[in-house]
Amino acid sequence: MPVPFVYHSRYSQLDLPARHRYPIQKYRMLKQWADQHGAKSSQWFTPSPLNWQQVRSVHAQHYIDELVNNRIEKSRWRRVGFPWSEQLLLRTLTSAAGTCQTAQLALTEGCAIHFSGGYHHAHHDWGSGFCIVNDLALAAQQIVDENGSARVLIFDTDVHQGDGTATLFENQPRVTTCSIHGEKNFPFTKSRSDIDIELAKGTTDEHYLQVVEQTLDSAIKQSQPDLILYDAGVDIYRQDELGHLSISLNGLYKRDHLVLNVARRNNISLAAVIGGGYQRNLERLIRAHAQLLRAAYHIWN
Ligand SMILES: [Zn+2]
């Protein structure tokens, strides 16, 4: 079976102020790219939104109450970077469900890709950096809750540290958090993941790919995972407006190919989320995210 793709049209349905930095149309456009490049209709899966009760597995009840009722203190809400709306909440719950579904599909099919996800700056009772609830944490928690002794590795290669994920699983031995990120970039106060690798501004392909390979190998040895949750953020790309690294388009492809290939070789299920990527030039941004789909195609077809 070809690699399952998880997507909902709601991902790109969010009214934002003009010139808002968030490339909300990228989800719809990446779906279109996949269809134009031969995705089969049987490959697509559509998530149903989580309910707030499910979100409690990693987030505080008081935070959820404030969020639902739009009662988060202004200065705290400002860190999120989105205007509050019912539409935002529904999109958030749908996207979090998508990552959970992708993880489940990966366990049965070997590999699955979510056309959203990677909201790794969401903490137990606060959000930041476009992240409100932590989909990676919700998916990992669901896997360990529902599968006796299952172990999960969250392998986060978005250019920003997965700080929310790191603190959420500080005391969860069955979930290992690993983040490879820019040293001098948001979040400026870093959390402690089980494994953190910081990269200097301007890092290029050769060094980067070496670091990814070595880090993934040792993370797998250390955590013995049944599932890798892979955040394939493309804000490491040299064209990215927030990234500060200097990775080429081919470097993106090679990273994704490497991670998927190592998982397959080691017989570990892999669920990927597309993660961050910030460019005003949406065509170029889609090409960057599409490298994950190309790598998956070349490994699994
Ligand atoms: Zn990012």
Side-chain angles (χ1 to χ4, degrees):
M1 172 168 152
V3 173
F5 290 159
V6 176
Y7 172 79
H8 199 295
S9 57
R10 206 170 273 154
Y11 296 165
S12 283
Q13 290 163 5
L14 181 64
D15 299 324
L16 294 173
R19 299 293 294 165
H20 192 280
R21 139 93 55 203
Y22 199 82
I24 196 70
Q25 293 305 324
K26 75 177 185 179
Y27 308 96
R28 182 182 58 75
M29 290 173 69
L30 187 63
K31 156 82 160 72
Q32 203 172 42
W33 189 97
D35 284 332
Q36 283 164 354
H37 288 78
K40 298 184 178 61
S41 55
S42 61
Q43 250 172 298
W44 295 105
F45 291 79
T46 310
S48 305
L50 297 182
N51 59 52
W52 290 110
Q53 181 64 28
Q54 291 170 297
V55 174
R56 281 186 58 186
S57 68
V58 305
H59 291 289
Q61 183 66 53
H62 73 88
Y63 174 58
I64 294 170
D65 291 342
E66 288 165 13
L67 188 56
V68 170
N69 298 304
N70 190 16
R71 278 207 210 106
I72 294 178
E73 200 189 317
K74 255 196 184 143
S75 60
R76 287 177 69 222
W77 181 254
R78 211 174 294 126
R79 302 168 79 160
V80 168
F82 286 136
W84 186 95
S85 65
E86 294 284 353
Q87 195 187 31
L88 175 67
L89 298 186
L90 183 58
R91 178 187 181 277
T92 298
L93 291 172
T94 308
S95 179
T99 299
C100 294
Q101 188 175 11
T102 307
Q104 301 287 356
L105 282 163
L107 282 183
T108 56
E109 306 301 325
C111 180
I113 294 177
H114 188 204
F115 281 49
S116 177
Y119 295 96
H120 55 179
H121 303 308
H123 291 248
H124 185 57
D125 62 357
W126 55 281
S128 80
F130 307 133
C131 304
I132 301 161
V133 310
N134 194 314
D135 60 304
L136 293 166
L138 285 162
Q141 189 62 46
Q142 190 181 67
I143 296 298
V144 298
D145 285 346
E146 290 177 4
N147 301 273
S149 59
R151 303 175 64 86
V152 178
L153 167 63
I154 300 180
F155 189 68
D156 189 337
T157 62
D158 188 284
V159 83
H160 305 103
Q161 192 206 26
D163 58 336
T165 326
T167 53
L168 282 167
F169 290 124
E170 246 173 342
N171 302 309
Q172 168 51 277
R174 286 167 61 200
V175 178
T176 300
T177 55
C178 175
S179 179
I180 302 175
H181 51 265
E183 178 192 7
K184 295 203 167 103
N185 206 329
F186 181 91
F188 296 101
T189 306
K190 306 279 193 278
S191 300
R192 202 147 96 208
S193 315
D194 294 306
I195 303 168
D196 281 303
I197 306 289
E198 307 211 304
L199 299 166
K201 282 188 178 180
T203 295
T204 51
D205 290 12
E206 196 184 345
H207 174 66
Y208 179 74
L209 292 166
Q210 239 173 40
V211 166
V212 170
E213 184 167 22
Q214 284 165 4
T215 308
L216 181 57
D217 277 348
S218 65
I220 288 174
K221 283 200 187 86
Q222 183 180 326
S223 62
Q224 299 291 318
D226 302 282
L227 173 75
I228 297 173
L229 272 175
Y230 171 43
D231 185 332
V234 298
D235 38 18
I236 60 162
Y237 187 28
R238 64 174 165 224
Q239 301 282 7
D240 196 88
E241 287 151 21
L242 302 182
H244 310 310
L245 300 190
S246 206
I247 307 305
S248 70
L249 189 68
N250 191 40
L252 291 178
Y253 173 80
K254 284 184 171 165
R255 177 197 63 175
D256 294 340
H257 192 278
L258 172 83
V259 173
L260 269 59
N261 202 30
V262 166
R264 181 156 198 191
R265 228 180 37 221
N266 287 283
N267 233 335
I268 303 166
S269 296
L270 182 135
V273 302
I274 64 168
Y278 305 91
Q279 294 181 56
R280 300 267 182 218
N281 183 334
L282 287 176
E283 303 285 335
R284 206 167 57 192
L285 178 57
I286 297 314
R287 266 203 305 283
H289 281 300
Q291 301 311 308
L292 174 65
L293 309 183
R294 294 184 60 227
Y297 181 82
H298 291 148
I299 289 172
W300 286 89
N301 282 67

